[in-house]
Amino acid sequence: MGTLTIRLPDDKHTRLKELAQSRGISINKLIEELSTIALAEFDTHTRFKVMAATGNREEGLKILAKLDDLTQ
């Protein structure tokens, strides 16, 4: 397991500490959870870009149109 040292403004550190306490977890666990979310978003974006670069534009638009129909 790696160690990460970050420098934050005092007010941001205080707010993160309060957020962690409100969730009943340590600030370390909070940062771990937030980084997991950030990495999942990054991975999704990266996969989408690869698929978009190699995919068929017309098929993609058809899929998006189907999604629009489902949400309306």
Coordinates of all heavy atoms in Angstrom, one line a residue:
M1 N 0.9 -1.2 0.0 CA 0.0 0.0 0.0 C 0.9 1.2 0.0 O 1.9 1.3 0.7 CB -0.9 0.0 1.2 CG -1.9 1.2 1.3 SD -3.1 1.1 2.6 CE -4.1 -0.3 2.1
G2 N 0.5 2.2 -0.8 CA 1.3 3.4 -0.9 C 0.9 4.5 0.1 O -0.2 4.4 0.7
T3 N 1.8 5.4 0.3 CA 1.5 6.6 1.2 C 1.5 7.8 0.3 O 2.3 8.0 -0.6 CB 2.6 6.7 2.2 OG1 2.7 5.5 3.0 CG2 2.4 7.9 3.1
L4 N 0.5 8.7 0.6 CA 0.4 9.9 -0.1 C 0.3 11.1 0.9 O -0.5 11.0 1.8 CB -0.9 9.9 -1.0 CG -1.4 11.1 -1.7 CD1 -0.4 11.4 -2.8 CD2 -2.8 10.9 -2.3
T5 N 1.1 12.0 0.7 CA 1.1 13.2 1.5 C 0.6 14.4 0.6 O 1.1 14.6 -0.5 CB 2.5 13.6 2.1 OG1 2.9 12.5 2.8 CG2 2.4 14.8 2.9
I6 N -0.5 15.1 1.1 CA -1.0 16.2 0.3 C -1.1 17.4 1.2 O -1.2 17.3 2.4 CB -2.4 15.9 -0.3 CG1 -3.4 15.5 0.8 CG2 -2.3 14.8 -1.3 CD1 -4.8 15.4 0.2
R7 N -0.9 18.6 0.6 CA -1.1 19.8 1.3 C -2.4 20.5 0.9 O -2.6 20.7 -0.3 CB 0.1 20.7 1.0 CG 1.4 20.2 1.7 CD 2.6 21.1 1.3 NE 3.8 20.6 1.9 CZ 4.5 19.5 1.6 NH1 4.1 18.7 0.7 NH2 5.6 19.3 2.2
L8 N -3.2 20.8 1.9 CA -4.5 21.4 1.6 C -4.6 22.7 2.5 O -4.0 22.7 3.6 CB -5.6 20.5 2.0 CG -5.8 19.2 1.3 CD1 -6.8 18.3 2.0 CD2 -6.2 19.4 -0.1
P9 N -5.3 23.7 2.0 CA -5.6 24.8 2.9 C -6.3 24.3 4.1 O -7.1 23.3 4.1 CB -6.5 25.7 2.0 CG -6.3 25.2 0.6 CD -5.9 23.8 0.7
D10 N -6.1 25.0 5.2 CA -6.7 24.6 6.5 C -8.2 24.4 6.5 O -8.8 23.5 7.0 CB -6.3 25.5 7.6 CG -4.9 25.5 8.0 OD1 -4.2 24.4 7.7 OD2 -4.4 26.4 8.6
D11 N -8.9 25.4 5.8 CA -10.3 25.3 5.7 C -10.8 24.1 5.0 O -11.8 23.4 5.3 CB -10.9 26.6 5.1 CG -10.5 26.8 3.7 OD1 -9.3 26.6 3.4 OD2 -11.3 27.4 2.9
K12 N -10.1 23.7 3.9 CA -10.5 22.5 3.1 C -10.3 21.3 4.0 O -11.1 20.3 4.0 CB -9.7 22.4 1.8 CG -10.3 21.4 0.9 CD -9.6 21.4 -0.5 CE -10.0 22.7 -1.2 NZ -9.6 22.7 -2.6
H13 N -9.2 21.2 4.7 CA -8.9 20.1 5.5 C -10.0 19.9 6.6 O -10.5 18.8 6.9 CB -7.5 20.2 6.2 CG -7.2 19.1 7.1 ND1 -7.3 19.2 8.5 CD2 -6.7 17.9 6.9 CE1 -7.0 18.1 9.1 NE2 -6.6 17.2 8.1
T14 N -10.3 21.0 7.2 CA -11.4 21.0 8.2 C -12.7 20.5 7.7 O -13.4 19.7 8.3 CB -11.6 22.4 8.8 OG1 -10.3 22.8 9.4 CG2 -12.7 22.5 9.8
R15 N -13.1 20.9 6.5 CA -14.3 20.5 5.9 C -14.3 19.0 5.5 O -15.3 18.3 5.7 CB -14.6 21.4 4.6 CG -14.9 22.8 5.0 CD -15.3 23.7 3.8 NE -16.5 23.2 3.2 CZ -16.8 23.4 1.9 NH1 -16.0 23.9 1.1 NH2 -18.0 22.9 1.5
L16 N -13.2 18.6 5.0 CA -13.0 17.1 4.7 C -13.1 16.3 6.0 O -13.7 15.2 6.0 CB -11.7 16.8 3.9 CG -11.7 17.3 2.5 CD1 -10.3 17.2 1.9 CD2 -12.7 16.5 1.6
K17 N -12.5 16.8 7.0 CA -12.6 16.1 8.3 C -14.0 16.0 8.8 O -14.4 15.0 9.3 CB -11.7 16.8 9.3 CG -11.5 16.1 10.6 CD -10.4 16.8 11.5 CE -10.2 16.1 12.8 NZ -9.2 16.7 13.6
E18 N -14.7 17.1 8.7 CA -16.1 17.1 9.1 C -17.0 16.2 8.3 O -17.9 15.5 8.8 CB -16.7 18.5 9.0 CG -16.1 19.5 10.1 CD -16.5 20.9 9.8 OE1 -17.1 21.3 8.8 OE2 -16.1 21.8 10.7
L19 N -16.7 16.1 7.0 CA -17.4 15.2 6.1 C -17.2 13.8 6.5 O -18.1 13.0 6.5 CB -17.0 15.5 4.6 CG -17.6 14.6 3.5 CD1 -19.1 14.6 3.6 CD2 -17.1 14.9 2.2
A20 N -15.9 13.5 6.7 CA -15.6 12.1 7.1 C -16.3 11.7 8.4 O -16.9 10.6 8.6 CB -14.1 12.0 7.3
Q21 N -16.3 12.7 9.4 CA -16.9 12.4 10.7 C -18.4 12.2 10.5 O -19.0 11.3 11.1 CB -16.6 13.5 11.6 CG -15.2 13.6 12.2 CD -14.9 14.8 13.0 OE1 -15.6 15.8 13.0 NE2 -13.8 14.7 13.8
S22 N -19.0 13.0 9.6 CA -20.5 12.8 9.4 C -20.8 11.5 8.8 O -21.9 11.0 8.9 CB -21.0 14.0 8.5 OG -20.6 13.8 7.1
R23 N -19.9 10.9 8.1 CA -20.1 9.6 7.4 C -19.6 8.4 8.4 O -19.8 7.3 8.0 CB -19.3 9.5 6.1 CG -19.9 10.4 5.0 CD -19.2 10.2 3.7 NE -19.7 11.1 2.7 CZ -19.4 11.0 1.4 NH1 -18.6 10.0 1.0 NH2 -19.9 11.8 0.6
G24 N -19.0 8.8 9.5 CA -18.5 7.8 10.4 C -17.3 7.1 9.9 O -17.1 5.9 10.3
I25 N -16.5 7.7 9.1 CA -15.2 7.1 8.6 C -14.1 8.0 8.9 O -14.2 9.2 9.2 CB -15.4 6.8 7.1 CG1 -15.6 8.1 6.3 CG2 -16.4 5.7 6.9 CD1 -15.7 7.8 4.8
S26 N -12.9 7.5 8.7 CA -11.7 8.3 8.9 C -11.5 9.2 7.6 O -12.0 8.9 6.5 CB -10.4 7.4 9.0 OG -10.2 6.7 7.8
I27 N -10.7 10.2 7.8 CA -10.4 11.1 6.6 C -9.6 10.3 5.6 O -9.8 10.5 4.4 CB -9.7 12.4 7.0 CG1 -9.7 13.4 5.9 CG2 -8.3 12.1 7.5 CD1 -9.3 14.8 6.3
N28 N -8.8 9.3 6.0 CA -8.1 8.5 5.1 C -9.0 7.7 4.2 O -8.9 7.6 3.0 CB -7.1 7.6 5.9 CG -6.2 6.9 5.0 OD1 -5.3 7.5 4.3 ND2 -6.3 5.5 4.9
K29 N -10.0 7.1 4.9 CA -11.0 6.3 4.1 C -11.8 7.2 3.2 O -12.2 6.8 2.1 CB -12.0 5.6 5.1 CG -13.0 4.7 4.5 CD -12.3 3.5 3.8 CE -13.3 2.5 3.3 NZ -12.7 1.5 2.5
L30 N -12.2 8.4 3.6 CA -12.9 9.3 2.8 C -12.1 9.6 1.5 O -12.6 9.6 0.4 CB -13.2 10.6 3.5 CG -13.8 11.7 2.7 CD1 -15.3 11.3 2.3 CD2 -13.8 13.0 3.4
I31 N -10.8 9.9 1.7 CA -9.9 10.2 0.5 C -9.8 9.0 -0.4 O -9.9 9.1 -1.6 CB -8.5 10.7 1.0 CG1 -8.7 12.0 1.7 CG2 -7.6 10.8 -0.2 CD1 -9.3 13.2 1.0
E32 N -9.8 7.8 0.2 CA -9.7 6.6 -0.6 C -11.0 6.4 -1.4 O -11.0 6.1 -2.6 CB -9.6 5.4 0.3 CG -9.5 4.1 -0.4 CD -9.4 2.9 0.5 OE1 -9.1 3.0 1.7 OE2 -9.6 1.7 0.0
E33 N -12.2 6.7 -0.8 CA -13.5 6.6 -1.5 C -13.6 7.6 -2.6 O -14.0 7.3 -3.7 CB -14.6 6.7 -0.5 CG -14.8 5.5 0.4 CD -15.9 5.7 1.4 OE1 -16.6 6.7 1.4 OE2 -16.1 4.8 2.3
L34 N -13.2 8.9 -2.3 CA -13.2 9.9 -3.3 C -12.3 9.6 -4.5 O -12.6 9.9 -5.6 CB -12.9 11.3 -2.7 CG -13.9 11.8 -1.7 CD1 -13.4 13.0 -1.0 CD2 -15.3 12.0 -2.3
S35 N -11.1 9.1 -4.2 CA -10.2 8.7 -5.3 C -10.7 7.6 -6.1 O -10.5 7.6 -7.3 CB -8.8 8.4 -4.8 OG -8.8 7.3 -3.9
T36 N -11.4 6.6 -5.5 CA -12.1 5.5 -6.3 C -13.1 6.1 -7.2 O -13.2 5.7 -8.4 CB -12.7 4.5 -5.3 OG1 -11.7 4.0 -4.5 CG2 -13.4 3.4 -6.0
I37 N -13.9 7.0 -6.8 CA -14.9 7.7 -7.7 C -14.2 8.4 -8.8 O -14.6 8.3 -10.0 CB -15.8 8.6 -6.8 CG1 -16.6 7.8 -5.9 CG2 -16.7 9.5 -7.8 CD1 -17.3 8.7 -4.8
A38 N -13.2 9.2 -8.5 CA -12.5 9.9 -9.5 C -11.8 9.0 -10.6 O -11.9 9.2 -11.8 CB -11.4 10.8 -8.9
L39 N -11.3 7.9 -10.1 CA -10.7 6.9 -11.1 C -11.7 6.2 -11.9 O -11.5 6.0 -13.1 CB -9.8 5.9 -10.3 CG -8.5 6.5 -9.7 CD1 -7.9 5.4 -8.8 CD2 -7.6 6.9 -10.8
A40 N -12.9 5.9 -11.3 CA -13.9 5.3 -12.1 C -14.4 6.2 -13.2 O -14.7 5.8 -14.3 CB -15.1 4.9 -11.2
E41 N -14.6 7.5 -12.9 CA -15.0 8.5 -13.9 C -13.9 8.6 -15.0 O -14.3 8.7 -16.1 CB -15.2 9.9 -13.2 CG -16.4 9.9 -12.3 CD -16.6 11.3 -11.7 OE1 -15.7 12.2 -11.9 OE2 -17.5 11.4 -10.9
F42 N -12.7 8.6 -14.6 CA -11.6 8.7 -15.6 C -11.6 7.5 -16.5 O -11.4 7.6 -17.7 CB -10.2 8.8 -14.8 CG -9.0 8.8 -15.8 CD1 -8.7 9.9 -16.6 CD2 -8.2 7.7 -15.8 CE1 -7.6 9.8 -17.4 CE2 -7.2 7.6 -16.7 CZ -6.9 8.7 -17.5
D43 N -11.7 6.3 -15.9 CA -11.7 5.1 -16.7 C -12.9 5.0 -17.7 O -12.8 4.6 -18.8 CB -11.8 3.8 -15.8 CG -10.5 3.6 -15.0 OD1 -9.5 4.2 -15.3 OD2 -10.5 2.8 -14.0
T44 N -14.1 5.5 -17.2 CA -15.2 5.5 -18.0 C -15.0 6.5 -19.2 O -15.3 6.2 -20.4 CB -16.5 5.9 -17.2 OG1 -16.7 5.0 -16.2 CG2 -17.7 6.0 -18.1
H45 N -14.5 7.6 -18.9 CA -14.2 8.6 -19.9 C -13.2 8.1 -21.0 O -13.4 8.3 -22.2 CB -13.7 9.9 -19.3 CG -13.5 11.0 -20.3 ND1 -12.2 11.4 -20.7 CD2 -14.4 11.9 -20.9 CE1 -12.3 12.4 -21.6 NE2 -13.6 12.7 -21.7
T46 N -12.2 7.5 -20.5 CA -11.1 6.9 -21.4 C -11.7 5.8 -22.3 O -11.5 5.8 -23.5 CB -10.0 6.4 -20.5 OG1 -9.4 7.4 -19.7 CG2 -8.9 5.8 -21.4
R47 N -12.5 4.9 -21.7 CA -13.1 3.9 -22.5 C -14.1 4.5 -23.5 O -14.1 4.0 -24.7 CB -13.9 2.9 -21.6 CG -13.0 1.9 -20.9 CD -13.8 0.7 -20.3 NE -14.8 1.1 -19.4 CZ -14.7 1.3 -18.1 NH1 -13.5 1.1 -17.5 NH2 -15.7 1.7 -17.3
F48 N -14.8 5.5 -23.1 CA -15.7 6.1 -24.1 C -15.0 6.8 -25.2 O -15.4 6.6 -26.4 CB -16.6 7.2 -23.4 CG -17.6 7.8 -24.3 CD1 -18.8 7.2 -24.6 CD2 -17.3 9.1 -24.8 CE1 -19.7 7.8 -25.5 CE2 -18.2 9.7 -25.7 CZ -19.4 9.1 -26.0
K49 N -13.9 7.4 -24.9 CA -13.1 8.1 -26.0 C -12.5 7.0 -27.0 O -12.5 7.2 -28.2 CB -11.9 8.9 -25.4 CG -12.4 10.2 -24.8 CD -11.3 10.9 -24.1 CE -10.0 11.1 -24.9 NZ -9.0 11.9 -24.2
V50 N -12.0 5.9 -26.4 CA -11.5 4.8 -27.3 C -12.6 4.3 -28.2 O -12.5 4.1 -29.4 CB -10.9 3.7 -26.5 CG1 -10.6 2.5 -27.3 CG2 -9.6 4.2 -25.8
M51 N -13.8 4.0 -27.6 CA -14.9 3.5 -28.3 C -15.4 4.5 -29.4 O -15.7 4.1 -30.5 CB -16.1 3.1 -27.4 CG -15.8 1.9 -26.5 SD -17.0 1.6 -25.3 CE -18.5 1.6 -26.2
A52 N -15.4 5.8 -29.0 CA -15.9 6.8 -30.0 C -14.9 6.9 -31.1 O -15.3 7.1 -32.3 CB -16.0 8.1 -29.3
A53 N -13.6 6.7 -30.9 CA -12.6 6.9 -31.9 C -12.7 5.7 -32.9 O -12.3 5.8 -34.1 CB -11.2 7.0 -31.3
T54 N -13.1 4.5 -32.4 CA -13.1 3.3 -33.3 C -14.5 2.9 -33.7 O -14.7 2.0 -34.5 CB -12.4 2.2 -32.5 OG1 -13.2 1.9 -31.4 CG2 -11.0 2.5 -32.2
G55 N -15.5 3.6 -33.2 CA -16.9 3.2 -33.5 C -17.5 3.9 -34.7 O -16.9 4.6 -35.4
N56 N -18.7 3.5 -34.9 CA -19.5 4.1 -36.0 C -20.4 5.2 -35.5 O -21.2 5.0 -34.6 CB -20.3 2.9 -36.6 CG -21.2 3.3 -37.8 OD1 -22.0 4.2 -37.7 ND2 -21.0 2.7 -38.9
R57 N -20.2 6.4 -36.1 CA -20.9 7.6 -35.6 C -22.5 7.4 -35.7 O -23.2 7.7 -34.8 CB -20.5 8.8 -36.4 CG -21.2 10.0 -36.1 CD -20.7 11.2 -36.9 NE -21.6 12.3 -36.8 CZ -21.4 13.3 -35.9 NH1 -20.4 13.2 -35.1 NH2 -22.2 14.4 -35.9
E58 N -22.9 6.8 -36.8 CA -24.4 6.7 -37.0 C -25.0 5.7 -36.0 O -26.0 5.9 -35.5 CB -24.7 6.2 -38.5 CG -24.4 7.3 -39.5 CD -22.9 7.5 -39.8 OE1 -22.1 6.6 -39.6 OE2 -22.6 8.7 -40.1
E59 N -24.3 4.6 -35.7 CA -24.7 3.6 -34.8 C -24.8 4.2 -33.4 O -25.7 4.0 -32.6 CB -23.9 2.4 -34.7 CG -24.0 1.5 -36.0 CD -25.5 0.9 -36.1 OE1 -26.0 0.5 -35.0 OE2 -26.0 1.0 -37.2
G60 N -23.8 5.0 -33.0 CA -23.8 5.7 -31.7 C -24.9 6.7 -31.6 O -25.6 6.7 -30.5
L61 N -25.2 7.4 -32.6 CA -26.4 8.3 -32.6 C -27.7 7.6 -32.4 O -28.6 8.0 -31.7 CB -26.4 9.2 -33.8 CG -25.2 10.2 -33.8 CD1 -25.2 11.0 -35.2 CD2 -25.3 11.2 -32.7
K62 N -27.8 6.4 -33.1 CA -29.0 5.6 -32.9 C -29.2 5.1 -31.5 O -30.3 5.2 -31.0 CB -28.9 4.4 -33.9 CG -29.2 4.7 -35.3 CD -29.1 3.4 -36.2 CE -29.1 3.7 -37.6 NZ -28.9 2.5 -38.4
I63 N -28.1 4.7 -30.9 CA -28.2 4.3 -29.5 C -28.6 5.4 -28.6 O -29.4 5.3 -27.7 CB -26.8 3.7 -29.0 CG1 -26.6 2.4 -29.8 CG2 -26.8 3.5 -27.5 CD1 -25.2 1.8 -29.6
L64 N -28.0 6.6 -28.8 CA -28.4 7.8 -28.0 C -29.8 8.1 -28.2 O -30.5 8.5 -27.2 CB -27.4 9.0 -28.3 CG -26.0 8.8 -27.8 CD1 -25.2 10.0 -28.3 CD2 -25.9 8.7 -26.3
A65 N -30.3 8.0 -29.4 CA -31.7 8.3 -29.7 C -32.6 7.3 -28.9 O -33.7 7.7 -28.3 CB -32.0 8.2 -31.2
K66 N -32.2 6.1 -28.8 CA -33.0 5.1 -28.1 C -33.0 5.4 -26.6 O -34.0 5.3 -25.9 CB -32.4 3.7 -28.3 CG -32.7 3.1 -29.6 CD -32.1 1.7 -29.7 CE -32.2 1.1 -31.1 NZ -31.6 -0.3 -31.1
L67 N -31.9 5.9 -26.1 CA -31.8 6.3 -24.7 C -32.7 7.5 -24.4 O -33.4 7.5 -23.4 CB -30.4 6.6 -24.3 CG -29.4 5.5 -24.2 CD1 -28.0 6.0 -23.9 CD2 -29.8 4.5 -23.0
D68 N -32.7 8.4 -25.4 CA -33.6 9.6 -25.2 C -35.1 9.1 -25.2 O -35.9 9.6 -24.4 CB -33.4 10.6 -26.4 CG -32.2 11.4 -26.2 OD1 -31.7 11.5 -25.1 OD2 -31.8 12.0 -27.2
D69 N -35.4 8.2 -26.0 CA -36.8 7.7 -26.1 C -37.2 7.0 -24.8 O -38.3 7.1 -24.3 CB -37.0 6.7 -27.2 CG -36.9 7.3 -28.6 OD1 -37.0 8.6 -28.7 OD2 -36.7 6.6 -29.6
L70 N -36.2 6.3 -24.2 CA -36.5 5.6 -22.9 C -36.7 6.6 -21.7 O -37.4 6.3 -20.8 CB -35.4 4.6 -22.6 CG -35.2 3.4 -23.5 CD1 -34.0 2.6 -23.1 CD2 -36.5 2.5 -23.3
T71 N -36.0 7.7 -21.8 CA -36.1 8.7 -20.7 C -37.3 9.6 -20.8 O -37.5 10.4 -19.9 CB -34.8 9.5 -20.5 OG1 -34.6 10.2 -21.7 CG2 -33.6 8.5 -20.2
Q72 N -38.0 9.6 -21.9 CA -39.1 10.5 -22.1 C -40.4 9.8 -21.9 O -40.7 8.7 -21.8 CB -39.1 11.1 -23.5 CG -37.9 12.0 -23.6 CD -37.8 12.6 -25.0 OE1 -38.7 12.5 -25.8 NE2 -36.7 13.3 -25.3

